[in-house]
Amino acid sequence: MNNRKARADICAVDEILLKHRISLLQVSVVRVSVVFAILLLTALTAWAQRAGTKPIYPIKFKPGVKTTVVEGTVTPPHGEGDMHNSGFERYSLRVRAGQYLTMEISSDNDRAVFSLIKPSKNMVKYEPVERAGGVKRWSGRLTESGDYLVTVFTREREVSHFKLRVTLR
């Protein structure tokens, strides 16, 4: 919201309040509240649109259950700078070394794929699990304990609604 529009909104509120014989103190209180609300809304909008703010959702299993399904939507990457939308969804999967993992993704347009990244102590080095980069299906025994990162994305120029089936034994 630009400053000129904000000032016009504040002036309009002032006129309404004065028309109804509201005291100057009450007008000031309402005016400060309106300014605060505008600033808060602007700050929250900017924060929500910052690059790199997408959450990493944990993949959880119900007690005694070895398979779960994660559903979501991915879009093609678009935008620039702070208004960039990477389009992917990220999940963490906590495992113990030696567990056997099977993952398979399906999507409404058959365009969604995933990558499985090994746990990283410093979160700077992202090393994919062998043969698990940009795939629709992967299974194998995991060699490291920790939180693996699963990134679901599409390389196509279409939105994909996906289901990721995860089995951990």
Side-chain angles (χ1 to χ4, degrees), residues 40-51:
L40 183 61
L41 182 61
T42 303
L44 288 173
T45 302
W47 177 77
Q49 292 176 346
R50 261 192 356 226

Side-chain angles (χ1 to χ4, degrees), residues 17 46-47 50 54 59 68 71 83 97 144 150 153 163:
L17 294 173
W47 177 77
R50 261 192 356 226
K54 290 190 90 165
I59 295 176
T68 190
E71 297 184 45
M83 300 303 283
E144 299 178 40
V150 180
F153 59 98
K163 289 184 182 181

Side-chain angles (χ1 to χ4, degrees), residues 31-137:
R31 189 175 194 189
V32 167
S33 299
V34 169
V35 169
F36 179 74
I38 290 170
L39 290 173
L40 183 61
L41 182 61
T42 303
L44 288 173
T45 302
W47 177 77
Q49 292 176 346
R50 261 192 356 226
T53 59
K54 290 190 90 165
I56 299 174
Y57 303 103
I59 295 176
K60 295 185 178 185
F61 297 85
K62 292 181 181 174
V65 177
K66 296 179 192 246
T67 299
T68 190
V69 176
V70 176
E71 297 184 45
T73 302
V74 289
T75 61
H78 60 278
E80 294 180 19
D82 286 347
M83 300 303 283
H84 179 77
N85 177 359
S86 55
F88 60 79
E89 290 296 330
R90 296 183 302 175
Y91 302 91
S92 65
L93 178 63
R94 179 157 291 174
V95 303
R96 291 181 317 275
Q99 285 186 294
Y100 194 85
L101 174 67
T102 301
M103 297 176 65
E104 186 169 8
I105 195 166
S106 61
S107 58
D108 58 346
N109 60 5
D110 201 36
R111 303 287 189 214
V113 293
F114 68 89
S115 291
L116 181 62
I117 308 296
K118 292 179 182 180
S120 173
K121 290 174 182 48
N122 57 13
M123 294 305 290
V124 174
K125 180 181 164 192
Y126 292 104
E127 184 180 345
V129 171
E130 190 174 336
R131 299 178 333 273
V135 297
K136 292 182 183 273
R137 182 171 178 20

Side-chain angles (χ1 to χ4, degrees), residues 158-169:
E158 302 175 38
V159 172
S160 288
H161 305 283
F162 68 87
K163 289 184 182 181
L164 179 66
R165 183 180 177 88
V166 181
T167 302
L168 188 60
R169 296 181 210 163

